[in-house]
């Protein structure tokens, strides 16, 4: 299935393996920023040309699913977007993702970009071994560094955790997640939950775009799976 922004889990996985210092700074790529705005892609809120830290980009990619953050990560590392995408696919092969192919760092629908729930689960399990990734993935909110364009920083909220305020289940707790939505992929969720003394990864892909009775399918499916464990 198309992975939508679940592909950004791989983007951050590869980026963390390449960045030496998360406090180092880079500039939001202006050309990709303009293209993403035209396509109405999800954004963290930075402007083209804005100078931010790599930490800002990583949190923006996961929490707000910021396309400008994901593209800037890919372009900043080795100054070669295509080389970064090759690294995404090499990593996929290295960790045994047998049915995945990445064509861009954002997860926007593109021919020959696909994955499976099993592969995304394996990718998330591998990524969570990195302390920095786990800290980002399980963060409810984050305020970016101060810039000229945003002197107070940008507050980012997890697109998954902010949907769960009403879920007060005593049987489990979702502690982190990544969402993704495109017309071809439908609604997708990758979540990390605690139930009893164990952690569980739950992947939902291809939920319908139309809400049934006001409920989003990726949320109801995730909760149903966790309740049945």
């Amino acid at each position: 299935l198309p992975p939508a922004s679940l592909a950004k889990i791989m983007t951050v996985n590869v980026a963390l393996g390449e960045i030496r210092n998360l406090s180092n700074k880079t500039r939001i790529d202006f050309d990709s920023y303009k293209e993403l705005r035209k396509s109405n892609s999800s954004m963290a809120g930075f402007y083209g040309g804005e100078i931010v830290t790599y930490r800002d980009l990583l949190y923006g990619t996961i929490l707000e699913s910021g396309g400008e953050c994901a593209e800037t990560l890919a372009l900043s590392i080795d100054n070669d977007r295509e080389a970064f995408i090759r690294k995404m696919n090499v990593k996929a092969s290295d960790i045994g993702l047998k049915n995945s192919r990445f064509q861009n760092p954002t997860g926007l629908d593109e021919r020959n970009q696909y994955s499976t729930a099993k592969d995304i689960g394996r990718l998330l399990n591998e990524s969570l071994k990195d302390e920095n990734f786990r800290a980002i993935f399980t963060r409810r909110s984050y305020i970016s560094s101060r810039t000229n364009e945003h002197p107070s920083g940008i507050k980012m909220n997890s697109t998954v955790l902010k949907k769960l305020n009403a879920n007060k289940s005593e049987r489990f707790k979702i502690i982190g997640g990544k969402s993704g939505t495109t017309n071809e992929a439908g609604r997708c969720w990758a979540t990390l939950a605690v139930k009893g003394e164990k952690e569980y990864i739950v992947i939902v892909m291809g939920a319908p775009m139309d809400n049934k009775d006001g409920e989003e399918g990726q949320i109801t499916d995730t909760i149903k799976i966790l309740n049945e464990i």
Side-chain angles (χ1 to χ4, degrees):
L1 295 169
S5 287
L6 301 190
K8 293 187 177 92
I9 297 172
M10 179 62 86
T11 302
V12 169
N13 179 301
V14 171
L16 282 169
E18 300 288 331
I19 299 167
R20 294 184 179 181
N21 187 338
L22 301 189
S23 296
N24 285 347
K25 295 183 177 183
T26 189
R27 189 181 299 274
I28 298 291
D29 182 72
F30 195 76
D31 290 338
S32 61
Y33 169 82
K34 289 194 299 183
E35 290 302 313
L36 289 164
R37 294 282 293 181
K38 287 179 183 178
S39 62
N40 199 31
S41 300
S42 57
M43 308 284 269
F46 296 113
Y47 298 135
E50 188 169 353
I51 297 174
V52 300
T53 67
Y54 282 106
R55 183 178 290 103
D56 294 335
L57 295 176
L58 294 164
Y59 275 95
T61 299
I62 294 294
L63 296 189
E64 291 284 0
S65 204
E68 83 277 33
C69 298
E71 284 288 352
T72 299
L73 284 171
L75 286 157
S76 295
I77 294 172
D78 297 333
N79 296 314
D80 189 334
R81 182 179 185 271
E82 294 307 313
F84 185 90
I85 294 168
R86 286 195 294 272
K87 288 178 178 178
M88 293 173 69
N89 287 301
V90 168
K91 176 58 72 74
S93 177
D94 288 347
I95 62 178
L97 308 191
K98 297 181 179 180
N99 296 288
S100 296
R101 179 73 185 175
F102 298 98
Q103 297 288 92
N104 61 60
T106 61
L108 290 174
D109 293 328
E110 189 169 338
R111 185 179 179 184
N112 291 327
Q113 177 157 261
Y114 53 83
S115 191
T116 66
K118 183 176 181 178
D119 275 5
I120 295 294
R122 184 184 294 270
L123 168 61
L124 180 53
N125 186 58
E126 185 69 23
S127 300
L128 287 166
K129 295 175 183 178
D130 184 300
E131 292 182 0
N132 285 315
F133 184 95
R134 176 177 279 267
I136 296 166
F137 195 78
T138 58
R139 189 76 168 261
R140 179 173 289 273
S141 63
Y142 168 81
I143 298 177
S144 68
S145 56
R146 298 176 180 180
T147 67
N148 291 334
E149 292 83 354
H150 294 97
S152 298
I154 296 174
K155 184 175 182 180
M156 306 174 188
N157 296 299
S158 168
T159 57
V160 168
L161 297 181
K162 70 182 181 182
K163 294 270 191 178
L164 296 171
N165 291 333
N167 176 35
K168 298 181 179 179
S169 172
E170 296 180 357
R171 300 185 62 198
F172 63 86
K173 182 178 181 181
I174 295 174
I175 61 171
K178 178 76 195 75
S179 64
T181 305
T182 68
N183 289 332
E184 291 187 23
R187 298 181 186 273
C188 307
W189 257 23
T191 53
L192 176 66
V194 176
K195 187 171 185 179
E197 297 181 355
K198 294 183 178 180
E199 290 186 343
Y200 294 91
I201 287 170
V202 180
I203 310 298
V204 174
M205 300 175 71
M209 293 292 288
D210 294 334
N211 299 348
K212 294 183 179 180
D213 301 322
E215 297 290 336
E216 295 181 10
Q218 81 283 11
I219 300 176
T220 55
D221 285 356
T222 297
I223 292 173
K224 180 179 179 182
I225 290 167
L226 286 167
N227 277 325
E228 292 180 352
I229 291 173

